[in-house]
């Protein structure tokens, strides 16, 4: 953790630049989407998805290749084009697993809601709500960390052609369908 934090601090200007660029693009897309009818919202949604795909590897590129935000976006797009081309097919299921971990928390809130209604006391909902909020924060941090670790491994495979230690070649190779396998 210490090594990761020191590496991030060493790249803080680039990370802040990326955060500013990403937030600006997101804000512009959101503002345009708010002003358009349904068809325009769909188009902007597709543009947003394209932006997410093109910038998929920006964070590991910022860290590993020491590029600035715009150069990192160009490098990410180049890796995407070279490695996966038009057939980007996400196979990463961390979001589904995270959802499964979230279900008990939501069920606990519903149960606490019924307990609150039955007892006419807000304490069950307050206590469970606080515990669930803490649980969801920890869960979000854990899964965000796992996603970034996996993303760094996929980046290493895409950029250097090597599978990182601790990962199976099948897992990394199945993250996306290669354009040669179309």
């Amino acid at each position: 953790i210490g090594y990761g934090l020191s590496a991030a601090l060493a790249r803080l200007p680039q990370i802040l630049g990326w955060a500013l660029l990403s937030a600006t693009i997101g804000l512009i897309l959101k503002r345009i989407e708010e002003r358009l009818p349904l068809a325009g919202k769909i188009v902007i949604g597709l543009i947003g998805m394209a932006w997410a795909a093109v910038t998929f590897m920006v964070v590991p590129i910022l860290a590993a290749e020491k590029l600035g935000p715009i150069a990192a976006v160009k490098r990410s797009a180049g890796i995407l084009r070279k490695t996966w081309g038009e057939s980007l097919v996400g196979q990463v299921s961390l979001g589904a697993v995270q959802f499964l971990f979230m279900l008990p928390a939501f069920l606990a809130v519903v149960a606490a809601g019924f307990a609150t209604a039955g007892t006419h006391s807000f304490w069950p909902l307050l206590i469970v709500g606080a515990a669930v909020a803490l649980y969801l924060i920890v869960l979000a941090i854990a899964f965000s960390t796992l996603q970034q670790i996996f993303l760094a491994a996929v980046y290493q495979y895409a950029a250097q052609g090597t599978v990182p230690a601790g990962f199976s070649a099948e897992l990394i190779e199945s993250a996306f369908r290669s354009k040669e396998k179309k």
Side-chain angles (χ1 to χ4, degrees):
I1 292 173
Y3 174 77
L5 289 175
S6 67
L9 285 174
R11 304 296 300 146
L12 193 58
Q14 290 79 8
I15 291 170
L16 291 175
W18 166 243
L20 181 62
L21 177 64
S22 181
T24 301
I25 298 294
L27 185 63
I28 290 169
L29 290 175
K30 186 69 176 165
R31 293 287 184 231
I32 293 171
E33 182 182 17
E34 289 172 354
R35 297 170 191 252
L36 294 175
L38 180 61
K41 290 180 185 201
I42 292 171
V43 170
I44 293 299
L46 292 173
I47 291 171
M49 287 178 11
W51 171 254
V54 165
T55 61
F56 185 67
M57 292 194 190
V58 166
V59 173
I61 290 169
L62 286 173
E65 298 185 18
K66 299 180 176 149
L67 298 175
I70 293 172
V73 169
K74 290 177 183 177
R75 175 78 171 124
S76 179
I79 289 173
L80 177 72
R81 211 173 15 260
K82 179 184 115 198
T83 308
W84 295 295
E86 300 295 320
S87 59
L88 181 64
V89 180
Q91 299 287 329
V92 182
S93 59
L94 281 175
V97 173
Q98 183 177 9
F99 176 74
L100 291 176
F101 274 89
M102 291 170 65
L103 278 178
F106 293 122
L107 294 175
V109 169
V110 169
F114 282 120
T116 296
T119 62
H120 301 293
S121 171
F122 66 90
W123 287 109
L125 189 59
L126 184 66
I127 292 169
V128 170
V132 164
L134 181 61
Y135 173 76
L136 291 177
I137 290 169
V138 170
L139 192 67
I141 291 169
F143 275 90
S144 176
T145 302
L146 290 172
Q147 181 70 31
Q148 291 305 313
I149 290 168
F150 185 74
L151 177 59
V154 171
Y155 160 75
Q156 181 176 334
Y157 178 75
Q160 301 168 1
T162 60
V163 176
F167 288 89
S168 71
E170 296 80 27
L171 175 68
I172 300 299
E173 290 170 357
S174 71
F176 299 94
R177 184 176 61 214
S178 173
K179 74 179 185 180
E180 287 84 36
K181 295 180 184 176
K182 264 177 138 172

CSV table of all heavy atoms in Angstrom, one decimal, residues 75-120:
chain,number,residue,atom,x,y,z
A,75,ARG,N,-2.5,7.1,-26.0
A,75,ARG,CA,-1.9,5.8,-25.8
A,75,ARG,C,-2.9,4.7,-25.5
A,75,ARG,O,-2.8,3.6,-26.1
A,75,ARG,CB,-0.8,5.8,-24.7
A,75,ARG,CG,-0.2,4.5,-24.4
A,75,ARG,CD,0.9,4.1,-25.4
A,75,ARG,NE,1.6,3.0,-24.8
A,75,ARG,CZ,1.7,1.8,-25.5
A,75,ARG,NH1,1.2,1.7,-26.7
A,75,ARG,NH2,2.3,0.8,-24.9
A,76,SER,N,-3.9,5.0,-24.7
A,76,SER,CA,-5.0,4.1,-24.4
A,76,SER,C,-5.7,3.7,-25.6
A,76,SER,O,-6.0,2.5,-25.9
A,76,SER,CB,-5.9,4.7,-23.3
A,76,SER,OG,-6.9,3.8,-23.0
A,77,ALA,N,-6.1,4.7,-26.4
A,77,ALA,CA,-6.8,4.5,-27.7
A,77,ALA,C,-5.9,3.6,-28.6
A,77,ALA,O,-6.5,2.7,-29.3
A,77,ALA,CB,-7.2,5.8,-28.4
A,78,GLY,N,-4.6,3.9,-28.7
A,78,GLY,CA,-3.8,3.1,-29.5
A,78,GLY,C,-3.7,1.6,-29.1
A,78,GLY,O,-3.7,0.7,-29.9
A,79,ILE,N,-3.6,1.4,-27.8
A,79,ILE,CA,-3.6,0.0,-27.3
A,79,ILE,C,-4.9,-0.7,-27.6
A,79,ILE,O,-4.9,-1.8,-28.0
A,79,ILE,CB,-3.3,0.0,-25.8
A,79,ILE,CG1,-1.8,0.4,-25.5
A,79,ILE,CG2,-3.6,-1.4,-25.2
A,79,ILE,CD1,-1.5,0.6,-24.1
A,80,LEU,N,-6.0,0.0,-27.4
A,80,LEU,CA,-7.3,-0.5,-27.7
A,80,LEU,C,-7.4,-0.9,-29.2
A,80,LEU,O,-7.8,-2.0,-29.5
A,80,LEU,CB,-8.4,0.5,-27.3
A,80,LEU,CG,-9.8,0.1,-27.6
A,80,LEU,CD1,-10.3,-1.0,-26.7
A,80,LEU,CD2,-10.7,1.3,-27.6
A,81,ARG,N,-7.0,0.0,-30.0
A,81,ARG,CA,-7.1,-0.3,-31.5
A,81,ARG,C,-6.2,-1.5,-31.9
A,81,ARG,O,-6.6,-2.3,-32.6
A,81,ARG,CB,-6.7,1.0,-32.2
A,81,ARG,CG,-7.3,1.2,-33.5
A,81,ARG,CD,-7.0,2.5,-34.2
A,81,ARG,NE,-5.9,3.3,-33.7
A,81,ARG,CZ,-6.0,4.4,-32.9
A,81,ARG,NH1,-7.2,4.7,-32.4
A,81,ARG,NH2,-5.0,5.0,-32.5
A,82,LYS,N,-4.9,-1.5,-31.4
A,82,LYS,CA,-4.0,-2.5,-31.7
A,82,LYS,C,-4.4,-3.9,-31.2
A,82,LYS,O,-4.3,-4.9,-31.9
A,82,LYS,CB,-2.6,-2.1,-31.2
A,82,LYS,CG,-1.5,-3.1,-31.4
A,82,LYS,CD,-0.2,-2.7,-30.8
A,82,LYS,CE,0.1,-3.8,-29.7
A,82,LYS,NZ,1.0,-3.4,-28.7
A,83,THR,N,-4.8,-3.9,-29.9
A,83,THR,CA,-5.1,-5.2,-29.3
A,83,THR,C,-6.5,-5.8,-29.5
A,83,THR,O,-6.6,-6.9,-29.8
A,83,THR,CB,-4.9,-5.0,-27.8
A,83,THR,OG1,-3.6,-4.4,-27.5
A,83,THR,CG2,-4.9,-6.4,-27.1
A,84,TRP,N,-7.5,-4.9,-29.4
A,84,TRP,CA,-8.8,-5.4,-29.5
A,84,TRP,C,-9.6,-4.9,-30.7
A,84,TRP,O,-10.7,-5.4,-31.0
A,84,TRP,CB,-9.6,-5.2,-28.2
A,84,TRP,CG,-8.9,-5.9,-27.1
A,84,TRP,CD1,-8.9,-7.2,-26.9
A,84,TRP,CD2,-8.3,-5.3,-26.0
A,84,TRP,NE1,-8.2,-7.5,-25.8
A,84,TRP,CE2,-7.8,-6.4,-25.2
A,84,TRP,CE3,-8.0,-4.0,-25.6
A,84,TRP,CZ2,-7.1,-6.2,-24.0
A,84,TRP,CZ3,-7.3,-3.8,-24.4
A,84,TRP,CH2,-6.9,-4.9,-23.6
A,85,GLY,N,-9.2,-3.9,-31.3
A,85,GLY,CA,-9.8,-3.3,-32.5
A,85,GLY,C,-11.3,-3.0,-32.2
A,85,GLY,O,-11.7,-2.5,-31.2
A,86,GLU,N,-12.1,-3.4,-33.1
A,86,GLU,CA,-13.6,-3.1,-33.0
A,86,GLU,C,-14.3,-4.0,-32.1
A,86,GLU,O,-15.5,-3.8,-31.8
A,86,GLU,CB,-14.2,-3.2,-34.4
A,86,GLU,CG,-13.6,-2.2,-35.4
A,86,GLU,CD,-13.8,-0.7,-35.0
A,86,GLU,OE1,-14.9,-0.4,-34.5
A,86,GLU,OE2,-12.9,0.1,-35.1
A,87,SER,N,-13.8,-5.1,-31.7
A,87,SER,CA,-14.6,-6.2,-31.0
A,87,SER,C,-14.3,-6.2,-29.5
A,87,SER,O,-14.0,-7.2,-29.0
A,87,SER,CB,-14.3,-7.5,-31.6
A,87,SER,OG,-12.9,-7.8,-31.5
A,88,LEU,N,-14.3,-5.0,-28.9
A,88,LEU,CA,-14.1,-4.9,-27.5
A,88,LEU,C,-15.3,-5.6,-26.8
A,88,LEU,O,-16.5,-5.2,-26.9
A,88,LEU,CB,-14.0,-3.5,-27.1
A,88,LEU,CG,-13.8,-3.2,-25.6
A,88,LEU,CD1,-12.5,-3.7,-25.1
A,88,LEU,CD2,-13.8,-1.7,-25.4
A,89,VAL,N,-15.1,-6.7,-26.1
A,89,VAL,CA,-16.2,-7.4,-25.4
A,89,VAL,C,-15.7,-7.6,-24.0
A,89,VAL,O,-14.9,-8.4,-23.7
A,89,VAL,CB,-16.4,-8.8,-26.1
A,89,VAL,CG1,-17.5,-9.5,-25.3
A,89,VAL,CG2,-16.7,-8.6,-27.5
A,90,GLY,N,-16.3,-6.8,-23.1
A,90,GLY,CA,-16.0,-6.9,-21.7
A,90,GLY,C,-16.4,-8.2,-21.1
A,90,GLY,O,-17.5,-8.6,-21.2
A,91,GLN,N,-15.5,-8.9,-20.4
A,91,GLN,CA,-15.8,-10.2,-19.8
A,91,GLN,C,-15.5,-10.0,-18.3
A,91,GLN,O,-15.7,-11.0,-17.5
A,91,GLN,CB,-14.9,-11.3,-20.3
A,91,GLN,CG,-15.0,-11.6,-21.8
A,91,GLN,CD,-16.3,-12.3,-22.1
A,91,GLN,OE1,-16.8,-13.1,-21.3
A,91,GLN,NE2,-16.9,-12.0,-23.3
A,92,VAL,N,-15.2,-8.9,-17.8
A,92,VAL,CA,-14.8,-8.6,-16.4
A,92,VAL,C,-16.1,-8.6,-15.6
A,92,VAL,O,-17.1,-7.9,-15.9
A,92,VAL,CB,-14.1,-7.3,-16.2
A,92,VAL,CG1,-13.7,-7.1,-14.8
A,92,VAL,CG2,-12.9,-7.3,-17.1
A,93,SER,N,-16.2,-9.5,-14.7
A,93,SER,CA,-17.5,-9.7,-13.9
A,93,SER,C,-17.4,-9.2,-12.5
A,93,SER,O,-18.2,-9.6,-11.7
A,93,SER,CB,-17.9,-11.1,-13.9
A,93,SER,OG,-16.9,-11.9,-13.3
A,94,LEU,N,-16.4,-8.3,-12.2
A,94,LEU,CA,-16.3,-7.8,-10.8
A,94,LEU,C,-17.6,-7.0,-10.4
A,94,LEU,O,-18.0,-7.1,-9.3
A,94,LEU,CB,-15.1,-6.9,-10.7
A,94,LEU,CG,-13.8,-7.6,-10.5
A,94,LEU,CD1,-12.6,-6.6,-10.5
A,94,LEU,CD2,-13.7,-8.4,-9.3
A,95,GLY,N,-18.2,-6.3,-11.4
A,95,GLY,CA,-19.4,-5.6,-11.1
A,95,GLY,C,-20.6,-6.5,-10.6
A,95,GLY,O,-21.3,-6.2,-9.7
A,96,ALA,N,-20.7,-7.6,-11.3
A,96,ALA,CA,-21.7,-8.6,-10.9
A,96,ALA,C,-21.4,-9.2,-9.5
A,96,ALA,O,-22.4,-9.3,-8.7
A,96,ALA,CB,-21.8,-9.7,-12.0
A,97,VAL,N,-20.2,-9.5,-9.3
A,97,VAL,CA,-19.8,-10.0,-7.9
A,97,VAL,C,-20.1,-8.9,-6.9
A,97,VAL,O,-20.6,-9.2,-5.8
A,97,VAL,CB,-18.4,-10.5,-7.9
A,97,VAL,CG1,-17.9,-10.9,-6.5
A,97,VAL,CG2,-18.2,-11.6,-8.9
A,98,GLN,N,-19.7,-7.7,-7.2
A,98,GLN,CA,-20.0,-6.6,-6.2
A,98,GLN,C,-21.5,-6.5,-6.0
A,98,GLN,O,-21.9,-6.3,-4.8
A,98,GLN,CB,-19.4,-5.3,-6.8
A,98,GLN,CG,-19.6,-4.1,-5.8
A,98,GLN,CD,-19.0,-2.9,-6.3
A,98,GLN,OE1,-18.5,-2.8,-7.4
A,98,GLN,NE2,-18.9,-1.9,-5.4
A,99,PHE,N,-22.3,-6.6,-7.0
A,99,PHE,CA,-23.7,-6.5,-6.8
A,99,PHE,C,-24.2,-7.6,-5.9
A,99,PHE,O,-25.1,-7.4,-5.0
A,99,PHE,CB,-24.4,-6.6,-8.2
A,99,PHE,CG,-25.9,-6.7,-8.1
A,99,PHE,CD1,-26.6,-5.5,-7.8
A,99,PHE,CD2,-26.6,-7.9,-8.2
A,99,PHE,CE1,-28.0,-5.5,-7.6
A,99,PHE,CE2,-28.0,-7.9,-8.1
A,99,PHE,CZ,-28.7,-6.7,-7.8
A,100,LEU,N,-23.7,-8.8,-6.0
A,100,LEU,CA,-24.1,-9.9,-5.1
A,100,LEU,C,-23.7,-9.6,-3.7
A,100,LEU,O,-24.4,-10.0,-2.8
A,100,LEU,CB,-23.4,-11.2,-5.6
A,100,LEU,CG,-23.9,-11.8,-6.9
A,100,LEU,CD1,-23.1,-13.0,-7.3
A,100,LEU,CD2,-25.4,-12.1,-6.8
A,101,PHE,N,-22.6,-9.0,-3.5
A,101,PHE,CA,-22.2,-8.6,-2.1
A,101,PHE,C,-23.0,-7.5,-1.6
A,101,PHE,O,-23.1,-7.3,-0.4
A,101,PHE,CB,-20.7,-8.2,-2.1
A,101,PHE,CG,-19.7,-9.3,-1.9
A,101,PHE,CD1,-19.2,-10.0,-3.0
A,101,PHE,CD2,-19.3,-9.7,-0.7
A,101,PHE,CE1,-18.3,-11.0,-2.9
A,101,PHE,CE2,-18.4,-10.7,-0.5
A,101,PHE,CZ,-17.9,-11.4,-1.6
A,102,MET,N,-23.6,-6.7,-2.5
A,102,MET,CA,-24.5,-5.6,-2.0
A,102,MET,C,-25.9,-6.0,-1.6
A,102,MET,O,-26.5,-5.4,-0.8
A,102,MET,CB,-24.6,-4.5,-3.1
A,102,MET,CG,-23.3,-3.8,-3.3
A,102,MET,SD,-23.3,-2.7,-4.8
A,102,MET,CE,-24.5,-1.5,-4.4
A,103,LEU,N,-26.3,-7.1,-2.2
A,103,LEU,CA,-27.7,-7.6,-2.0
A,103,LEU,C,-28.0,-7.8,-0.5
A,103,LEU,O,-29.1,-7.3,0.0
A,103,LEU,CB,-28.0,-8.9,-2.7
A,103,LEU,CG,-28.3,-8.7,-4.2
A,103,LEU,CD1,-28.6,-10.1,-4.9
A,103,LEU,CD2,-29.6,-7.8,-4.4
A,104,PRO,N,-27.2,-8.4,0.3
A,104,PRO,CA,-27.5,-8.6,1.7
A,104,PRO,C,-27.7,-7.2,2.4
A,104,PRO,O,-28.5,-7.1,3.3
A,104,PRO,CB,-26.4,-9.4,2.3
A,104,PRO,CG,-25.7,-10.0,1.1
A,104,PRO,CD,-26.0,-9.2,0.0
A,105,ALA,N,-26.9,-6.2,2.0
A,105,ALA,CA,-27.0,-4.9,2.7
A,105,ALA,C,-28.4,-4.3,2.4
A,105,ALA,O,-29.0,-3.8,3.3
A,105,ALA,CB,-25.9,-4.0,2.1
A,106,PHE,N,-28.8,-4.4,1.1
A,106,PHE,CA,-30.1,-3.9,0.8
A,106,PHE,C,-31.3,-4.6,1.5
A,106,PHE,O,-32.2,-4.0,1.9
A,106,PHE,CB,-30.3,-3.9,-0.7
A,106,PHE,CG,-29.4,-2.9,-1.4
A,106,PHE,CD1,-28.6,-3.3,-2.4
A,106,PHE,CD2,-29.4,-1.5,-1.1
A,106,PHE,CE1,-27.7,-2.4,-3.0
A,106,PHE,CE2,-28.6,-0.6,-1.7
A,106,PHE,CZ,-27.7,-1.1,-2.7
A,107,LEU,N,-31.1,-5.9,1.6
A,107,LEU,CA,-32.1,-6.7,2.3
A,107,LEU,C,-32.1,-6.4,3.8
A,107,LEU,O,-33.2,-6.3,4.4
A,107,LEU,CB,-31.8,-8.2,2.1
A,107,LEU,CG,-32.0,-8.8,0.7
A,107,LEU,CD1,-31.5,-10.2,0.6
A,107,LEU,CD2,-33.4,-8.6,0.2
A,108,ALA,N,-31.0,-6.1,4.3
A,108,ALA,CA,-30.9,-5.7,5.8
A,108,ALA,C,-31.7,-4.3,6.0
A,108,ALA,O,-32.4,-4.1,6.9
A,108,ALA,CB,-29.5,-5.5,6.2
A,109,VAL,N,-31.5,-3.4,5.0
A,109,VAL,CA,-32.2,-2.1,5.1
A,109,VAL,C,-33.7,-2.3,5.0
A,109,VAL,O,-34.5,-1.7,5.7
A,109,VAL,CB,-31.7,-1.1,4.0
A,109,VAL,CG1,-32.6,0.1,4.0
A,109,VAL,CG2,-30.3,-0.7,4.3
A,110,VAL,N,-34.2,-3.2,4.1
A,110,VAL,CA,-35.6,-3.5,4.0
A,110,VAL,C,-36.1,-4.1,5.3
A,110,VAL,O,-37.2,-3.7,5.8
A,110,VAL,CB,-35.8,-4.4,2.8
A,110,VAL,CG1,-37.3,-4.9,2.8
A,110,VAL,CG2,-35.5,-3.7,1.5
A,111,ALA,N,-35.4,-5.1,5.8
A,111,ALA,CA,-35.8,-5.7,7.1
A,111,ALA,C,-35.8,-4.7,8.2
A,111,ALA,O,-36.8,-4.7,9.0
A,111,ALA,CB,-34.8,-6.8,7.4
A,112,ALA,N,-34.9,-3.8,8.2
A,112,ALA,CA,-34.9,-2.7,9.3
A,112,ALA,C,-36.0,-1.8,9.1
A,112,ALA,O,-36.6,-1.3,10.0
A,112,ALA,CB,-33.5,-2.0,9.2
A,113,GLY,N,-36.4,-1.5,7.8
A,113,GLY,CA,-37.6,-0.7,7.5
A,113,GLY,C,-38.8,-1.3,8.1
A,113,GLY,O,-39.7,-0.6,8.7
A,114,PHE,N,-39.0,-2.6,7.9
A,114,PHE,CA,-40.2,-3.3,8.4
A,114,PHE,C,-40.1,-3.3,9.9
A,114,PHE,O,-41.2,-3.1,10.6
A,114,PHE,CB,-40.2,-4.8,7.9
A,114,PHE,CG,-40.7,-4.9,6.5
A,114,PHE,CD1,-40.0,-5.4,5.5
A,114,PHE,CD2,-42.0,-4.4,6.2
A,114,PHE,CE1,-40.4,-5.5,4.2
A,114,PHE,CE2,-42.5,-4.5,4.9
A,114,PHE,CZ,-41.7,-5.1,3.9
A,115,ALA,N,-38.9,-3.5,10.5
A,115,ALA,CA,-38.8,-3.4,12.0
A,115,ALA,C,-39.2,-2.0,12.5
A,115,ALA,O,-39.8,-1.9,13.5
A,115,ALA,CB,-37.4,-3.8,12.4
A,116,THR,N,-38.7,-1.0,11.8
A,116,THR,CA,-39.0,0.3,12.2
A,116,THR,C,-40.5,0.6,12.1
A,116,THR,O,-41.1,1.2,13.0
A,116,THR,CB,-38.3,1.3,11.3
A,116,THR,OG1,-36.9,1.2,11.5
A,116,THR,CG2,-38.7,2.8,11.6
A,117,ALA,N,-41.2,0.1,11.0
A,117,ALA,CA,-42.6,0.3,10.9
A,117,ALA,C,-43.4,-0.5,12.0
A,117,ALA,O,-44.4,0.0,12.5
A,117,ALA,CB,-43.0,-0.1,9.5
A,118,GLY,N,-42.9,-1.7,12.3
A,118,GLY,CA,-43.6,-2.5,13.3
A,118,GLY,C,-43.4,-2.0,14.7
A,118,GLY,O,-44.3,-2.1,15.5
A,119,THR,N,-42.3,-1.4,15.0
A,119,THR,CA,-42.0,-1.0,16.4
A,119,THR,C,-42.3,0.5,16.6
A,119,THR,O,-42.2,1.0,17.7
A,119,THR,CB,-40.6,-1.3,16.8
A,119,THR,OG1,-39.7,-0.5,15.9
A,119,THR,CG2,-40.3,-2.7,16.7
A,120,HIS,N,-42.5,1.2,15.5
A,120,HIS,CA,-42.7,2.7,15.5
A,120,HIS,C,-41.5,3.4,16.2
A,120,HIS,O,-41.6,4.4,16.8
A,120,HIS,CB,-44.0,3.1,16.3
A,120,HIS,CG,-45.2,2.5,15.6
A,120,HIS,ND1,-45.6,2.8,14.4
A,120,HIS,CD2,-46.0,1.5,16.1
A,120,HIS,CE1,-46.7,2.1,14.1
A,120,HIS,NE2,-47.0,1.3,15.1
